[in-house]
Amino acid sequence: MELPYIEPYKIKMVEAIQTSTINQRKKWIAAAKYNLFKLSSDQVRIDLLTDSGTGAMSDKQWAEIMLGDESYAGSSSYEKLEQTVKQITGFPFFIPTHQGRAAENVLFSALVKKGDIVPGNSHFDTTKGHIEFRKATAIDCTIDEAFDTTVQHPFKGNLDISKLEKIVQKHSAEKIPFVLITITCNSAGGQPVSMQNIKQVHQFCKYYKIPLYFDSARFAENAYFIKTREAGYAKKTIKEIVKEMFSFSDGMTMSAKKDGLVNMGGFIALKNPEVYTSCITYNIIYEGFVTYGGMSGRDMGALAVGLQEATEFSYLQSRIQQVHYLGERLITLGVPVQQPFGGHAIYLDANKFVPNIPKEEYRAQALAIELYISSGIRSVEIGTILADRDPITRNNRYPKLELVRLALPRRTYTLSHLEYIAIAIKNVYDTRNEAKKGYNIHWEAPIMRHFTVELDKL
Ligand code: F0G
């Protein structure tokens, strides 16, 4: 028989999981105003809120923590990270930041101005927030296939060139400071972008002289999908594919909390020396001196090791097989999920799961709350609450997909945890017809409301 795959690591340190009862969780979620972000972690049994900064570091990363050089300027940990970023991405310029949105803040301060248009593939919410905060507009150019959870397409994160073309015709290329490709595309379900599509967008940008940037939080997972799904890449290493992907762009922002395998950190990497010079000034104002940018030396060292580990095939294979194991289990149990599965999470299709709850009553959020109460699993709504209001009309934006994201932290949970998650979801699915009412917004922040929103149960 063929031997099954195993995780390419064993566990050296463990952290206790807290248990609780349904009645306790009912009280806690009511006290949290039905916002899962407001729960404390010991009220959660399995935490699938995010894969961001929640993974486990390796022994080699922890060893780097002890070697951290905390010098304000010119620390050796910075140099290790700089060398690694340049080697892995191929970009000549590098600026550390404290996390991904900080990288967005610095880069967009240099590039985005009022009235600009930033086309992309379903921009992440902080990215959209940073664009809209500057009174610019983010336009979604993801291919239509991404918005039907049953369509089998290997690269649902791809951009539709005809949608990009229409934007240029309507607004002119001068209004577009850059096109942004998010790899993998988180908001569309952790879906990858193919190398062919990256090349097409690059050609498009070159023709109109528009720079092309990547939001690269899960760039290594994207490279894994290119290797395993796209013709011509099976024999290439992940590191070769990563280099090729980045060769088509002018720069990247990075949330190292994902494919950097660290708990905190980020960076910008760039081709253009003028953009680099401009970013440095903003980095010093917002983040810190250029050789630390909001990160401690030890964290930069751990990130340098994490980037190497995250771009190893064996790590990525086990990571993505774990996510897909959960997806397969849910399909076997008849639960509607986004297909094909993405890299970092499985997404429940709330439109199909709880269609009886009106979309105006935030059905995906209602489903996430029910899953928490019944099993202690914390997930996150990727639906109307996250989509926020239109900045001009202030009306709710109803996205085509109402999803509940089950994001798997890296190297953190085992197969039995996945089994628990699958059965817990099946149990909620079996009682779905009883769910008819959702929630009302009691209070919300003017921007990025999902983190702090307060809800009333209807
Ligand atoms: N870009 C993408 C595609 C992201 O998924 C995130 C964060 C960011 C940028 C911002 O990075 O958190 O380091 O400031 N995503 C997390 C998530 C929060 O749960 O998906 P950050």
Side-chain angles (χ1 to χ4, degrees):
M1 272 169 86
E2 196 185 334
L3 288 169
Y5 105 93
I6 57 168
E7 279 82 9
Y9 51 83
K10 56 187 175 172
I11 296 166
K12 189 179 283 197
M13 190 195 272
V14 294
E15 183 182 347
I17 285 180
Q18 308 294 329
T19 51
S20 52
T21 63
I22 289 184
N23 278 339
Q24 279 176 316
R25 293 193 290 268
K26 271 188 186 157
K27 282 190 198 127
W28 291 335
I29 192 67
K33 316 275 188 221
Y34 298 100
N35 180 342
L36 293 147
F37 285 95
K38 288 183 195 260
L39 293 172
S40 68
S41 62
D42 58 4
Q43 295 170 339
V44 174
R45 192 144 198 221
I46 294 190
D47 208 345
L48 308 182
L49 184 70
T50 179
D51 64 322
S52 180
T54 50
M57 291 208 296
S58 68
D59 50 355
K60 294 195 176 58
Q61 286 180 286
W62 281 106
E64 261 319 306
I65 293 270
M66 298 311 292
L67 298 175
D69 173 358
E70 304 305 337
S71 305
Y72 190 95
S75 94
S76 57
S77 305
Y78 167 79
E79 283 160 16
K80 275 182 202 162
L81 180 57
E82 184 190 32
Q83 273 175 17
T84 308
V85 170
K86 288 182 177 175
Q87 182 219 332
I88 286 183
T89 66
F91 289 114
F93 300 106
F94 154 75
I95 305 170
T97 63
H98 82 272
Q99 63 183 92
R101 67 200 72 184
E104 289 163 2
N105 188 30
V106 170
L107 183 70
F108 296 2
S109 294
L111 298 181
V112 180
K113 52 181 196 317
K114 190 176 168 185
D116 280 351
I117 310 279
V118 182
N121 52 340
S122 301
H123 311 64
F124 183 64
D125 51 334
T126 60
T127 320
K128 198 190 254 176
H130 274 298
I131 293 167
E132 291 176 353
F133 184 72
R134 289 172 172 78
K135 307 241 176 306
T137 310
I139 301 184
D140 191 353
C141 296
T142 315
I143 54 170
D144 289 338
E145 288 89 331
F147 303 105
D148 181 339
T149 57
T150 57
V151 170
Q152 292 288 342
H153 185 296
F155 292 100
K156 277 183 164 179
N158 281 356
L159 285 88
D160 185 331
I161 305 290
S162 68
K163 291 185 188 174
L164 287 174
E165 193 72 57
K166 274 193 200 124
I167 295 173
V168 173
Q169 299 316 328
K170 190 166 169 205
H171 301 277
S172 91
E174 284 78 60
K175 283 249 173 243
I176 305 175
F178 53 89
V179 172
L180 187 71
I181 305 186
T182 301
I183 47 174
T184 57
C185 184
N186 186 6
S187 310
Q191 297 293 321
V193 180
S194 70
M195 192 73 86
Q196 190 198 18
N197 189 246
I198 290 173
K199 284 184 195 166
Q200 284 167 341
V201 179
H202 167 75
Q203 283 301 331
F204 169 89
C205 287
K206 210 169 133 190
Y207 181 80
Y208 287 107
K209 299 195 173 53
I210 300 169
L212 173 61
Y213 283 85
F214 286 174
D215 174 351
S216 319
R218 300 176 183 85
F219 73 96
E221 290 172 6
N222 200 83
Y224 174 87
F225 286 116
I226 290 176
K227 183 177 168 73
T228 54
R229 290 184 185 171
E230 191 164 350
Y233 288 92
K235 293 215 171 74
K236 296 211 163 139
T237 65
I238 296 292
K239 285 186 169 69
E240 285 167 346
I241 297 171
V242 165
K243 266 260 182 65
E244 187 178 334
M245 281 172 1
F246 286 129
S247 72
F248 294 110
S249 86
D250 293 282
M252 62 184 281
T253 56
M254 176 69 190
S255 168
K257 303 169 74 172
K258 286 91 173 171
D259 279 353
L261 291 176
V262 289
N263 303 115
M264 190 51 74
F267 59 86
I268 301 168
L270 299 161
K271 258 184 203 160
N272 183 317
E274 280 144 38
V275 179
Y276 173 68
T277 310
S278 171
C279 284
I280 278 179
T281 311
Y282 291 109
N283 211 62
I284 294 173
I285 298 171
Y286 293 132
E287 291 297 291
F289 185 61
V290 286
T291 62
Y292 73 89
M295 295 180 77
S296 51
R298 53 181 169 270
D299 287 347
M300 289 191 281
L303 173 54
V305 177
L307 287 168
Q308 297 289 3
E309 291 179 358
T311 47
E312 284 300 322
F313 180 73
S314 60
Y315 154 73
L316 283 165
Q317 186 183 33
S318 109
R319 155 83 176 144
I320 288 170
Q321 286 201 13
Q322 213 186 35
V323 173
H324 290 203
Y325 175 87
L326 177 60
E328 296 290 356
R329 280 295 282 134
L330 289 172
I331 287 189
T332 310
L333 296 168
V335 176
V337 294
Q338 157 90 307
Q339 292 184 58
F341 313 128
H344 66 294
I346 295 297
Y347 294 69
L348 304 177
D349 185 342
N351 286 337
K352 299 206 173 101
F353 202 122
V354 278
N356 296 337
I357 301 177
K359 71 178 194 309
E360 294 77 12
E361 297 177 12
Y362 311 107
R363 54 167 71 124
Q365 178 70 7
L367 175 54
I369 292 168
E370 186 49 36
L371 181 61
Y372 169 70
I373 292 174
S374 61
S375 64
I377 295 169
R378 171 157 69 173
S379 55
V380 73
E381 188 250 26
I382 308 272
T384 305
I385 297 184
L386 180 81
D388 225 316
R389 291 182 189 274
D390 183 286
I392 294 160
T393 66
R394 303 304 299 157
N395 290 332
N396 264 335
R397 291 189 275 216
Y398 291 103
K400 288 179 200 144
L401 292 180
E402 289 277 352
L403 302 170
V404 171
R405 186 182 74 172
L406 312 159
L408 286 188
R410 294 168 180 77
R411 305 190 289 208
T412 304
Y413 289 116
T414 66
L415 211 57
S416 56
H417 293 118
L418 299 183
E419 201 50 33
Y420 178 91
I421 298 162
I423 302 294
I425 293 167
K426 163 74 171 150
N427 289 345
V428 177
Y429 192 59
D430 285 345
T431 58
R432 66 192 181 280
N433 291 334
E434 292 160 30
K436 296 203 171 61
K437 289 251 148 243
Y439 293 81
N440 247 346
I441 291 186
H442 177 81
W443 178 84
E444 64 185 278
I447 191 164
M448 298 188 37
R449 62 184 181 181
H450 63 290
F451 289 118
T452 52
V453 69
E454 296 181 0
L455 302 169
D456 288 327
K457 191 171 162 59
L458 288 168

